[in-house]
Amino acid sequence: AGYGQEASHDGLVQAGTGKRTKFPIGTVYLATLHVPQDLKGKDGKEIVDADVPMSVVLQVDTRMLTRERFVDAIREGFQKAKNSGFATDKVETFLNFFSKVEIHKGDIVYLDYSPATGLAVAMKTSDKEKQELGTVAGLPFKKALYAIWLGPDPVQEGLKKGMLGQK
């Protein structure tokens, strides 16, 4: 905690924070998972599958992460999720939300899921207010996105453990 990673949904609790690391950069971003109290301490599968409000908050922790690298990494994550059974045809819709933003160290990306509206994407940069980037409807998309970090073949096992509070 202490990273300004408050969830956008009321009534959510922090499950945990993990670090995404990549050689030679080191820590690329911190990812904090916020869930309803009854999901805190549950495994990745239960959280990925749950059709309840929840949030993943990413805080960029390197100057070496460009928009292009971010988009490539997320696309690669969606491919891993698809290989684990979490396919979505909305990857490009999601990635297009980032087409007009620059990414800098300290920026925060909010990935807030609500069953009624879908997955809302917002970003707060150091020099601007938090801005909404767009929403992708549907539980299948949320499952595919969250499976990047919490699915059976996550982008990084240590990151998954941290987000689930299993350090």
Side-chain angles (χ1 to χ4, degrees):
Y3 296 109
Q5 297 185 349
E6 69 285 347
S8 297
H9 291 291
D10 291 334
L12 297 183
V13 296
Q14 184 173 316
T17 298
K19 287 183 181 177
R20 174 69 168 116
T21 57
K22 198 161 179 96
F23 182 81
I25 297 171
T27 301
V28 179
Y29 59 78
L30 302 168
T32 302
L33 174 66
H34 301 270
V35 295
Q37 181 66 48
D38 62 345
L39 278 179
K40 187 171 180 173
K42 300 295 185 189
D43 66 17
K45 179 174 176 13
E46 280 189 74
I47 291 168
V48 167
D49 287 343
D51 192 14
V52 297
M54 63 182 67
S55 180
V56 171
V57 181
L58 306 177
Q59 180 170 357
V60 179
D61 197 42
T62 180
R63 288 183 169 80
M64 297 175 74
L65 185 64
T66 62
R67 176 182 58 237
E68 293 76 17
R69 285 181 177 155
F70 177 79
V71 166
D72 288 348
I74 297 291
R75 188 176 280 119
E76 187 180 309
F78 274 118
Q79 188 58 49
K80 284 186 91 160
K82 180 180 177 182
N83 295 343
S84 299
F86 296 97
T88 177
D89 60 0
K90 297 179 179 176
V91 173
E92 294 308 315
T93 301
F94 174 76
L95 294 177
N96 282 337
F97 294 158
F98 297 94
S99 65
K100 294 192 172 44
V101 299
E102 293 299 325
I103 295 177
H104 303 97
K105 183 172 182 173
D107 289 352
I108 299 170
V109 177
Y110 300 87
L111 304 168
D112 300 329
Y113 178 71
S114 169
T117 55
L119 194 117
V121 182
M123 187 168 172
K124 183 173 183 346
T125 57
S126 55
D127 59 340
K128 290 193 181 129
E129 293 296 312
K130 182 175 172 182
Q131 62 186 53
E132 302 296 325
L133 300 181
T135 301
V136 181
L139 180 61
F141 176 78
K142 175 261 183 182
K143 286 182 176 186
L145 181 66
Y146 279 46
I148 291 173
W149 304 290
L150 303 170
D153 186 20
V155 290
Q156 192 167 8
E157 195 61 45
L159 172 62
K160 176 180 176 177
K161 285 189 164 116
M163 290 175 74
L164 294 174
Q166 301 172 346
K167 290 178 182 171

